[in-house]
Amino acid sequence: MRCYLLLLCAVGAASQPVCNHPPSTWCSSWEIAKECQVEKQCLEFYSNRDLKKSSEPAIQIDLFYESLCGGCRGFLVRQLFPSWLMLAEIINVTLVPYGNAQETNITGKWVFDCQHGPEECLGNMMEACLIHILDDIYKYFPIIFCMESSNNVTKSLESCLAVYAPELPLKTVLECVNGDLGNKLMHENAQKTKGLSPPHNYVPWIVIDGMHTDDLQAQAQSSLFNLVCDTYKGPKPEPCLHSEITPLKRDVLCLN
């Protein structure tokens, strides 16, 4: 079933048009989906579609970031999430919220000092807990996208949960954040970040198929969608063949 048929059912045949784009294009990019107020329907469409299996491995994208870094938020919201949504059959994404934070072991408990202050540590912890608790990128990535695209990352957790995971109580996430589990998850992210080769010296730090170079970073931040489509060696999925994605300006980096 094509995306526009799903969306027409969702909004109802008698409904007035909600945007200036034809229904057949409503899920062609996340920007259009937001303008037409059909983000959730597009997400459901992409998550429920039959993904074609290929003998070629998917492109692995690891994002090392921090929750309040402007460049990180820009890349996640404008490049990574929409590219993943349209190319899920050829992209695997791993999110590692930690970035330029520092950790100290004090009497057996890890204490974190984040580049943008305690609020960023809280945001990192919330997102690490969401990833762990939900353990399904189709469930946690939309929530993280919602938080990172909001005016206030940490204060939007409750409203983003209500939209994308109403079955998950806010209390469950906060118990993780404030307990030993959240502390452990952040330490694990610290270890993953410290283990990078070459070592990171800014964020977002983008690793593609285990490699990080200045050229790959620049291409990913300019147009990740095109980079993935051009790099993938298997049969190109339909969005690579029919979607035109305008490259976005490169965001600033958050340096150590």
Side-chain angles (χ1 to χ4, degrees):
M1 179 183 295
R2 290 190 177 274
C3 183
Y4 69 90
L5 291 177
L6 172 75
L7 297 173
L8 284 175
C9 292
V11 300
S15 299
Q16 295 297 316
V18 295
C19 67
N20 294 321
H21 301 277
S24 60
T25 67
W26 284 356
C27 289
S28 63
S29 78
W30 196 247
E31 287 77 13
I32 294 177
K34 289 180 69 176
E35 183 180 339
C36 297
Q37 302 175 34
V38 291
E39 304 103 296
K40 191 169 184 180
Q41 289 90 344
C42 287
L43 179 64
E44 290 172 354
F45 167 75
Y46 281 114
S47 62
N48 291 328
R49 74 195 190 279
D50 293 328
L51 300 182
K52 296 179 181 179
K53 294 183 179 180
S54 171
S55 58
E56 288 293 331
I59 306 293
Q60 177 65 43
I61 301 175
D62 303 323
L63 175 62
F64 295 82
Y65 71 105
E66 50 199 29
S67 62
L68 299 190
C69 165
C72 301
R73 296 176 70 181
F75 176 73
L76 189 151
V77 170
R78 299 175 197 162
Q79 296 284 354
L80 184 57
F81 183 79
S83 297
W84 165 79
L85 195 63
M86 289 184 284
L87 301 174
E89 60 257 59
I90 64 170
I91 293 181
N92 290 328
V93 171
T94 298
L95 301 175
V96 185
Y98 185 79
N100 297 329
Q102 301 293 325
E103 65 174 1
T104 306
N105 192 314
I106 299 178
T107 63
K109 184 174 182 178
W110 294 102
V111 176
F112 303 98
D113 181 17
C114 295
Q115 183 175 9
H116 298 95
E119 192 74 6
E120 180 166 81
C121 285
L122 176 61
N124 291 346
M125 193 88 75
M126 286 176 170
E127 295 180 8
C129 284
L130 286 169
I131 293 168
H132 176 81
I133 293 168
L134 291 170
D135 195 31
D136 181 343
I137 193 166
Y138 279 102
K139 293 181 179 179
Y140 64 72
F141 203 0
I143 304 170
I144 292 174
F145 164 82
C146 177
M147 293 171 63
E148 292 294 336
S149 59
S150 69
N151 291 328
N152 189 303
V153 172
T154 58
K155 287 184 171 57
S156 65
L157 172 61
E158 185 172 10
S159 59
C160 291
L161 281 176
V163 173
Y164 291 108
E167 74 284 355
L168 177 60
L170 175 64
K171 179 182 177 182
T172 301
V173 181
L174 295 181
E175 285 175 348
C176 170
V177 168
N178 297 317
D180 292 339
L181 177 57
N183 195 262
K184 175 187 174 185
L185 293 173
M186 285 305 299
H187 173 60
E188 291 175 354
N189 284 353
Q191 295 301 107
K192 292 175 184 176
T193 305
K194 291 174 183 176
L196 283 167
S197 179
H200 90 287
N201 49 34
Y202 55 79
V203 288
W205 188 264
I206 304 161
V207 179
I208 298 178
D209 282 341
M211 294 178 56
H212 174 91
T213 66
D214 291 342
D215 183 56
L216 278 175
Q217 176 93 15
Q219 290 184 62
Q221 289 192 269
S222 174
S223 182
L224 180 65
F225 181 94
N226 291 336
L227 174 61
V228 171
C229 287
D230 292 343
T231 302
Y232 186 64
K233 295 182 174 62
K236 307 296 184 185
E238 186 175 348
C240 286
L241 302 175
H242 300 292
S243 287
E244 294 181 0
I245 304 299
T246 302
L248 298 169
K249 291 182 180 179
R250 182 171 180 172
D251 291 285
V252 299
L253 301 173
C254 289
L255 304 175
N256 280 311

